[in-house]
Amino acid sequence: DIRMTQSPSSLSASVGDRVTITCRASQSISGYLNWYQQKPGKAPKLLIYGASSLQSGVPSRFSGRGSGTDFTLTISSLQPEDFATYYCQQSYNAPITFGQGTRLEIK
Amino acid sequence: EVQLVESGGGLVQPGGSLRLSCAASGFPFRNYWMHWVRQAPGKGLVWVSRINNDGDITTYADSVKGRFTISRDNAKNTLYLQMSSLRAEDTAVYYCVRLSCGNSTDCYMRYKWFDPWGQGTLVTVSS
């Protein structure tokens, strides 16, 4: 199975900050990388697919980059509603696997 | 509106059984691969099982293989997860998800992702 490792596991930031979350795959996954946002008590929501494509309806302050084994999710200017947990996911090989999550908290 | 609605969760004793259902609406259910993903309390997301659009190809995580059975009824637009020999470590919120790859329903060699997700149903295994 492909192991996905996110860093950091948690992050404190302020409204207006630029933040970047990193995801590393244990082997090359080309661009088969997705990002999800999850708020407490809610189902995850797709943000980015194919490493860099923004899902319809997702604000443009979210962006994704990377290919191969190293990927990033960047939020250009944090808004209050962005404080949540973020997960990366690879869909290159079965079984589909997720990173352990990055909890983004208000500083 | 594309929607997935899970039901069937609850409290069950260790060794017991439970069947989860997921009602799909707003899209041609029979054209899509479907998956189950679970999340233990305070933990991350873990893939559990998948089924192809016709229902004749199924795959399971090692942790549930031999105990869980995924199935679907395309006439009823419903996905199922039959869970047996339940253990405390199966306690989780179970999400039904659709495998999507844009405008095509053939996701072979395409970028693919989970969207939408159901709201989840909580399964608690405890005596």
Side-chain angles (χ1 to χ4, degrees):
Chain A
D1 297 1
I2 297 175
R3 181 177 176 83
M4 307 300 294
T5 304
Q6 289 180 233
S7 60
S9 294
S10 63
L11 173 61
S12 294
S14 302
V15 172
D17 285 353
R18 178 184 180 91
V19 300
T20 296
I21 298 168
T22 297
C23 179
R24 176 165 290 175
S26 60
Q27 66 181 73
S28 177
I29 58 170
S30 185
Y32 289 76
L33 191 284
N34 308 313
W35 290 98
Y36 299 85
Q37 176 194 66
Q38 187 179 33
K39 296 182 179 180
K42 300 294 186 182
K45 169 190 169 184
L46 177 69
L47 298 176
I48 302 282
Y49 61 90
S52 60
S53 295
L54 195 67
Q55 170 69 343
S56 176
V58 174
S60 59
R61 61 181 180 272
F62 290 91
S63 64
R65 295 188 64 179
S67 183
T69 60
D70 295 312
F71 301 86
T72 58
L73 172 70
T74 297
I75 309 172
S76 60
S77 178
L78 273 173
Q79 298 302 300
E81 60 269 29
D82 299 337
F83 292 94
T85 300
Y86 293 84
Y87 293 93
C88 64
Q89 174 207 45
Q90 68 81 20
S91 59
Y92 180 75
N93 264 354
I96 286 176
T97 48
F98 294 88
Q100 82 279 14
T102 294
R103 184 175 178 181
L104 180 52
E105 301 175 318
I106 301 174
K107 183 182 288 185
Chain B
E1 179 191 6
V2 175
Q3 196 172 15
L4 299 169
V5 179
E6 300 97 335
S7 60
L11 175 63
V12 60
Q13 292 188 339
S17 298
L18 209 57
R19 188 178 83 157
L20 307 183
S21 299
C22 170
S25 59
F27 68 98
F29 178 73
R30 66 179 63 249
N31 290 349
Y32 287 84
W33 287 60
M34 298 294 296
H35 295 238
W36 288 97
V37 173
R38 70 183 181 183
Q39 185 172 37
K43 302 298 185 181
L45 302 167
V46 177
W47 175 82
V48 173
S49 182
R50 68 175 181 175
I51 188 168
N52 73 329
N53 54 316
D54 290 331
D56 57 356
I57 299 174
T58 59
T59 315
Y60 301 91
D62 287 345
S63 58
V64 307
K65 200 173 295 182
R67 301 187 299 120
F68 289 12
T69 302
I70 190 171
S71 63
R72 64 192 296 161
D73 185 334
N74 286 342
K76 295 183 177 180
N77 291 339
T78 303
L79 176 73
Y80 302 101
L81 186 68
Q82 177 69 47
M83 304 184 294
S84 61
S85 302
L86 283 162
R87 307 166 180 167
E89 54 265 35
D90 296 318
T91 294
V93 174
Y94 285 74
Y95 294 102
C96 162
V97 297
R98 183 184 76 175
L99 185 70
S100 301
C101 51
N103 293 331
S104 175
T105 55
D106 181 1
C107 292
Y108 181 68
M109 295 298 284
R110 292 177 180 268
Y111 291 144
K112 53 189 79 71
W113 54 89
F114 288 159
D115 183 68
W117 295 61
Q119 85 286 355
T121 187
L122 176 62
V123 173
T124 303
V125 184
S126 175
S127 54

